């Protein structure tokens, strides 16, 4: 598979630690994409320092400064569009987005979610997985659609739940896998292997019967 001379341009949205952002930055050169900017809705997000350290432009669009979701999303879209990215990656971005915003980036916005979707949409996924007694847990990367954590799943990574697992232990193991999963999916975008058509994931011009496994 050949990669274009111009690497895929990516803008990453974060709210916190940014370990997935770090994984994306670290893998970017060898995987054929460039992280052009990092935008946070929280001024204190530790991921902003990671971006600055890597010489990547940062922006803060603080949601607390906006009276409603529509005006926040409009400001966020303006910040993103200044970089004209090919792909928007939500990496620990903890805001619910309006339908208008999601539609604007349809087919070119993805999210990493710490569960094997469609299981455990929403928050506290690791605790809920343990409470449900599942033997397998993991993470998913999916296209963002208007259904929260409900867009078509591109790829997943699986971890076995161990008897000694508590919330933190399981979360740490899943997070390690997320750091492999997310750069892999962005590489597939860089290689033009992914598309969303009629609400389905297409890979190598074929509809995916089930998520890819990483
Ligand atoms: C990850 O578990 C991600 O799946 C979830 O939030 C966490 C973000 O971690 N959406 P980090 O900020 O990338 O370290």
């Amino acid at each position: 598979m050949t990669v274009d001379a111009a690497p895929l341009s990516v803008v990453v949205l974060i709210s916190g630690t940014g370990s997935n952002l770090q994984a994306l930055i670290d893998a970017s050169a060898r995987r054929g994409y460039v992280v052009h900017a990092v935008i946070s809705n929280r001024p204190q997000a530790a991921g902003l320092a990671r971006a600055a350290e890597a010489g990547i432009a940062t922006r803060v669009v603080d949601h607390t400064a906006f009276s409603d979701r529509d005006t926040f999303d409009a400001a966020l879209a303006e910040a993103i569009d200044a970089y004209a990215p090919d792909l928007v990656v939500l990496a620990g971005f903890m805001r619910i987005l309006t339908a208008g915003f999601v539609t604007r980036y349809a087919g070119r916005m993805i999210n990493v979610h710490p569960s094997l979707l469609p299981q455990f949409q929403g928050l506290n996924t690791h605790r809920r997985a343990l409470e449900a007694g599942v033997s397998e847990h993991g993470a998913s990367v999916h296209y963002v659609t208007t259904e929260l954590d409900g867009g078509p799943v591109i790829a997943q990574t699986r971890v076995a739940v161990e008897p000694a697992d508590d919330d933190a232990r399981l979360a740490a193991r899943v997070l390690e896998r997320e750091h492999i999963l997310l750069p892999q999916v962005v590489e597939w975008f860089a290689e033009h292997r992914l598309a969303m058509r009629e609400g389905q994931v297409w890979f190598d011009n074929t509809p995916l019967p089930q998520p890819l496994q990483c």
Side-chain angles (χ1 to χ4, degrees):
M1 200 62 50
T2 54
V3 177
D4 286 351
L8 185 89
S9 166
V10 179
V11 165
V12 183
L13 307 192
I14 60 165
S15 299
T17 313
S19 69
N20 276 293
L21 165 68
Q22 189 70 59
L24 282 171
I25 294 170
D26 292 347
S28 58
R30 69 175 185 279
R31 290 192 181 261
Y33 61 86
V34 170
V35 179
H36 270 139
V38 173
I39 303 173
S40 173
N41 66 307
R42 294 208 175 105
Q44 306 308 329
L48 289 169
R50 296 177 187 268
E53 177 75 18
I56 296 168
T58 61
R59 292 281 305 273
V60 173
V61 183
D62 183 348
H63 66 276
T64 63
F66 296 86
S67 54
D68 56 40
R69 288 193 193 278
D70 283 322
T71 51
F72 169 70
D73 280 7
L76 187 59
E78 200 181 316
I80 294 169
D81 291 350
Y83 299 96
D86 301 308
L87 184 69
V88 178
V89 178
L90 311 186
F93 183 70
M94 304 302 284
R95 295 295 298 169
I96 292 172
L97 297 163
T98 58
F101 182 93
V102 169
T103 305
R104 182 188 191 98
Y105 299 103
R108 53 190 183 107
M109 182 160 65
I110 59 172
N111 178 48
V112 57
H113 180 79
S115 79
L116 295 173
L117 290 171
Q119 287 185 307
F120 312 122
Q121 296 169 327
L123 298 174
N124 303 316
T125 58
H126 309 298
R127 180 170 54 68
R128 288 160 59 210
L130 289 171
E131 281 169 5
V134 293
S135 58
E136 209 178 31
H137 185 44
S140 306
V141 173
H142 64 93
Y143 280 106
V144 177
T145 63
T146 50
E147 194 194 332
L148 182 66
D149 299 328
V153 178
I154 299 167
Q156 294 183 320
T157 185
R158 293 166 183 276
V159 303
V161 177
E162 294 170 3
D165 276 340
D166 58 14
D167 205 345
R169 197 170 179 270
L170 183 57
R173 248 182 13 268
V174 171
L175 191 60
E176 246 175 61
R177 301 292 311 172
E178 290 179 40
H179 298 162
I180 297 164
L181 174 71
L182 188 56
Q184 172 62 80
V185 172
V186 177
E187 180 179 32
W188 286 327
F189 274 95
E191 293 174 335
H192 306 290
R193 300 180 75 179
L194 280 165
M196 182 171 71
R197 290 184 204 134
E198 285 148 14
Q200 252 195 298
V201 179
W202 286 57
F203 187 70
D204 289 345
N205 292 313
T206 310
L208 262 193
Q210 58 199 22
L212 297 156
Q213 302 297 313
C214 285

